[in-house]
Amino acid sequence: MLLGGLWHGAAWTFILWGLYHGLLLILYRPFESAFAALDRKGRVGAWLAMFHLTCFGWLIFRAPSFATLRDMTHGLFAEFRPATLDVTGILIPLLLYTMPLLAVHAVEARADDVLIVPRLRLGVRYAVYVATLYLILLFGNFGGSDFIYFQF
């Protein structure tokens, strides 16, 4: 993982990112079977912890310098105030976008078949397709942005 960090660039933050993820893997491996043996709540808790640790690693990856990383970490842990966010401005579009996708996922999970949509009745299938297209057109990001590796 350290070499993977070096591969992304010669900045110290990339080296720290590789070291951080390598240490996460080293710490995870001895407990892998214990995590698998956890009950449902324990697995969800372990998943949430690993998700947040991984997301913090991406903060390291995006920071252009250690000073910026320090400031972002301080802001995250010491100055984060959810009240300053426009929750309804973020939450309502997010729910409008994800609810149809979650409904499709629930149908797939109940049927234990991830390819159930193509086998639905024609009208229902095309309703799912049209709803998906509409959501892409409504919430899609159509502004151009460079592929992340073009930055290196």
Side-chain angles (χ1 to χ4, degrees):
M1 290 304 294
L2 186 62
L3 290 176
L6 278 172
W7 180 81
H8 280 90
W12 284 106
T13 53
F14 292 125
I15 295 169
L16 179 62
W17 171 78
L19 180 65
Y20 175 81
H21 276 283
L23 288 173
L24 277 180
L25 285 172
I26 289 169
L27 294 173
Y28 169 77
R29 290 292 181 205
F31 301 103
E32 190 172 6
S33 59
F35 289 140
L38 290 173
D39 65 349
R40 187 179 186 119
K41 286 181 183 180
R43 284 194 311 271
V44 168
W47 177 84
L48 282 171
M50 192 63 183
F51 174 80
H52 285 89
L53 289 169
T54 303
C55 286
F56 183 76
W58 290 113
L59 189 76
I60 298 169
F61 185 86
R62 290 300 291 164
S65 67
F66 284 131
T68 305
L69 176 61
R70 182 194 66 232
D71 293 343
M72 289 190 305
T73 303
H74 182 269
L76 183 64
F77 290 107
E79 297 178 7
F80 180 72
R81 291 179 186 84
T84 62
L85 295 175
D86 177 18
V87 174
T88 56
I90 296 169
L91 188 60
I92 299 300
L94 181 64
L95 286 175
L96 287 172
Y97 182 70
T98 57
M99 291 309 287
L101 299 175
L102 289 173
V104 169
H105 177 68
V107 170
E108 291 172 342
R110 184 173 298 137
D112 195 24
D113 182 4
V114 295
L115 296 175
I116 196 166
V117 173
R119 288 191 279 279
L120 292 173
R121 289 188 331 243
L122 192 63
V124 176
R125 180 176 6 144
Y126 281 107
V128 171
Y129 294 158
V130 168
T132 304
L133 176 64
Y134 176 73
L135 291 170
I136 290 169
L137 292 174
L138 187 63
F139 296 108
N141 181 1
F142 298 104
S145 62
D146 290 335
F147 181 59
I148 190 169
Y149 287 109
F150 290 157
Q151 300 171 17
F152 298 105

